[in-house]
Amino acid sequence: MRCGTALAVAACLFILAGCSPKEEGNGAAVPVIHITDLSRPHGDPDDHWDAATQFALNKKGLIDLRAVITDNLPALGAPDLEGIAQLNWITGAGVPVGVGETTYNDSVHSGLALLRKTLEESDEPVAIHVVGGCLDLAAAAKMWPDLFKEKVKA
């Protein structure tokens, strides 16, 4: 197991220690989309900490993690889909993941398509956490401004 993945696992287990699923939630979990530059090989450990924290908050019922979108920046490495899959497995979540891009397509792994689908299917406004690049978010806001006005909380 690589250092970054080990850190994510350790962080997630530390945060989740002693808590059962949804035990602390009050039924008002904020829907969230998490945009990250998590990549392989791992460039910096804060990306794993951020992702592990999102999954831990989701497991505790404090947020409703609806999607994770990873940047696709070849200079940084490949998007870390395996890391997100591991966090899904550890927490028992089924959070979909999309890969960022600069042009829109409807592929199953498209970050833009997942962003749009997640917003369209939400009954309430969604908070978007950006700890990576903003290309997909900016492109989506430009392509679907009315959807953003209606469905993006913060």
Side-chain angles (χ1 to χ4, degrees):
M1 186 179 320
R2 292 196 171 233
C3 179
T5 303
L7 177 62
V9 170
C12 192
L13 293 175
F14 174 77
I15 293 167
L16 295 174
C19 94
S20 61
K22 309 289 183 192
E23 77 178 7
E24 292 187 16
N26 60 6
V30 175
V32 171
I33 296 171
H34 183 65
I35 300 177
T36 178
D37 60 350
L38 186 63
S39 61
R40 277 186 192 261
H42 313 299
D44 48 22
D46 69 305
D47 299 326
H48 295 89
W49 182 263
D50 295 339
T53 300
Q54 293 299 305
F55 275 85
L57 291 170
N58 184 66
K59 178 136 179 116
K60 292 181 91 168
L62 299 173
I63 66 169
D64 179 7
L65 187 58
R66 304 262 176 104
V68 174
I69 299 170
T70 65
D71 287 342
N72 188 10
L73 304 170
L76 297 178
D80 191 6
L81 302 180
E82 183 178 302
I84 299 302
Q86 288 172 335
L87 288 169
N88 267 320
W89 183 80
I90 289 167
T91 62
V95 178
V97 61
V99 176
E101 58 200 305
T102 55
T103 59
Y104 178 72
N105 70 66
D106 277 327
S107 80
V108 69
H109 297 293
S110 163
L112 280 172
L114 179 59
L115 182 57
R116 181 180 187 183
K117 178 179 186 266
T118 304
L119 292 175
E120 287 177 338
E121 292 178 354
S122 181
D123 293 332
E124 59 187 305
V126 177
I128 301 177
H129 295 161
V130 181
V131 294
C134 298
L135 291 175
D136 293 293
L137 185 61
K142 186 173 182 178
M143 291 190 299
W144 310 299
D146 293 336
L147 181 62
F148 264 63
K149 286 178 189 168
E150 179 185 349
K151 298 289 182 103
V152 175
K153 181 175 189 160

